[in-house]
Amino acid sequence: MTTIDPTITPRAAEHIKAPKEEHRINWVQTGLLVLGTLAVLVPIYFAITMSLKTGRQAASGTGLDWPSPFEFGNFGAAWELTHFPRAFAVSLTISALAVAGQLIVSSLAAYAIARNWHRRLFRWSYFYLLAAMFIPFPVVALPQVKLTSMVGLDNPLGVAVLHILFGISFNLLLYTAFLRSVPYELEESARIDGCTTWQTFWKIIFPLLAPMNATVGIFAFLMSWNDFMMPSLIIGDPSLQTIPVVQKIFQLKFSSDYNVAFASYLMAMAPTLIAYLFAQRWVMSGVTRGAIK
């Protein structure tokens, strides 16, 4: 039984530290985290080792054996056989247009809906656009192929436009949740100073959306860069295909060159890994803020 010293004041009692609890390791959660980590690292290790092997080494062994000697010529062969510079330029153009378009279109739409939520037209427009999240692209693939061909968008530009349109629903959900937490008094102060609605958005609101812009931007980049189905169906010129489609064609033609194929996979995967590593902090903070607010 503990006794309380009557000479200790209540303020001093607040600073008395409670006994530390014994830290226990949750082995179940630790084991699950280890399994999840291995599920990510093992395929990456497999891809790296296969890309550095010779053709004879790639055809024999388990695939997890460390290459000896290293064959860096696989990357040069993949560079030439897949016409990597041209496919890289096409993928980069589509991704850049998709990211810029989604940031501008989705943020403007979310701002209009969030600030006019009391109006029925804007409120129902939000639910209408949100319903598009439940419609996958394969369901509307054939109509989209016909429409883009009719209007002359069966090219990389048409793919970028479709990425912008199909990304509105998810982006609208994130932007609207974040904009509801932005005080309306900021916009009133800007209007008192003479700003128009357009100036208020670009000078006040859009800079405040920086965490959410990073989240939307990285998701838009990953979706457009790794997309295979949409470019393969929309783009009519084979010379203007993206990296995933070119790699699939290469895999069908040279199915036995596993080492060269994995070298091309690593070159295509490198931009997404670099982009995500640099933007990971903003992605997590943006998703958290959108979910809480």
Side-chain angles (χ1 to χ4, degrees):
M1 183 174 180
T2 59
T3 58
I4 300 176
D5 190 351
T7 61
I8 298 178
T9 61
R11 179 174 296 180
E14 294 178 358
H15 298 281
I16 298 177
K17 296 182 179 180
K20 294 184 178 180
E21 297 182 359
E22 184 180 356
H23 181 68
R24 297 180 179 179
I25 300 177
N26 191 326
W27 292 107
V28 176
Q29 294 182 358
T30 304
L32 293 176
L33 289 175
V34 170
L35 291 176
T37 304
L38 291 176
V40 176
L41 294 181
V42 170
I44 295 178
Y45 171 80
F46 181 84
I48 293 175
T49 55
M50 287 294 293
S51 65
L52 295 174
K53 290 182 178 181
T54 61
R56 180 176 299 179
Q57 293 174 351
S60 61
T62 61
L64 298 176
D65 302 331
W66 191 252
S68 179
F70 291 160
E71 182 56 56
F72 293 100
N74 295 331
F75 294 93
W79 183 279
E80 296 179 359
L81 292 174
T82 60
H83 302 286
F84 190 84
R86 182 176 59 193
F88 180 86
V90 173
S91 294
L92 186 62
T93 302
I94 293 176
S95 300
L97 292 175
V99 170
Q102 290 190 39
L103 289 178
I104 296 173
V105 174
S106 299
S107 60
L108 286 172
Y111 177 68
I113 291 175
R115 290 298 179 255
N116 295 276
W117 188 256
H118 57 282
R119 299 181 180 181
R120 183 178 300 179
L121 175 62
F122 288 88
R123 189 165 59 250
W124 282 103
S125 298
Y126 172 77
F127 295 123
Y128 173 77
L129 293 173
L130 212 61
M133 292 179 62
F134 302 97
I135 304 177
F137 177 75
V139 176
V140 294
L142 292 179
Q144 296 300 326
V145 171
K146 187 174 182 179
L147 286 173
T148 52
S149 178
M150 290 174 58
V151 298
L153 287 177
D154 51 344
N155 48 47
L157 178 60
V159 176
V161 171
L162 289 179
H163 275 297
I164 295 172
L165 297 178
F166 278 95
I168 288 179
S169 359
F170 177 70
N171 300 337
L172 195 66
L173 180 65
L174 295 177
Y175 274 125
T176 305
F178 188 86
L179 282 169
R180 288 173 181 171
S181 65
V182 178
Y184 188 69
E185 289 75 12
L186 293 175
E187 300 176 43
E188 291 179 343
S189 301
R191 288 193 172 91
I192 291 175
D193 292 337
C195 289
T196 62
T197 302
W198 186 260
Q199 292 173 334
T200 301
F201 175 79
W202 288 112
K203 294 182 178 181
I204 305 297
I205 301 301
F206 194 76
L208 295 176
L209 295 176
M212 200 56 61
N213 289 335
T215 305
V216 171
I218 191 63
F219 280 140
F221 178 80
L222 292 176
M223 290 293 294
S224 57
W225 184 272
N226 297 324
D227 186 29
F228 169 81
M229 179 173 292
M230 194 180 296
S232 62
L233 294 176
I234 300 299
I235 299 178
D237 190 354
S239 63
L240 296 177
Q241 285 293 354
T242 59
I243 289 180
V245 180
V246 170
Q247 287 182 336
K248 184 63 177 180
I249 297 174
F250 171 78
Q251 183 181 359
L252 294 176
K253 288 184 177 179
F254 307 97
S255 58
S256 60
D257 296 336
Y258 299 111
N259 49 342
V260 180
F262 276 98
S264 67
Y265 298 157
L266 284 180
M267 289 191 298
M269 187 172 56
T272 58
L273 290 178
I274 295 173
Y276 186 79
L277 288 176
F278 277 101
Q280 182 181 11
R281 179 165 59 92
W282 292 281
V283 171
M284 297 306 298
S285 63
V287 172
T288 305
R289 293 185 184 186
I292 295 176
K293 297 181 179 181

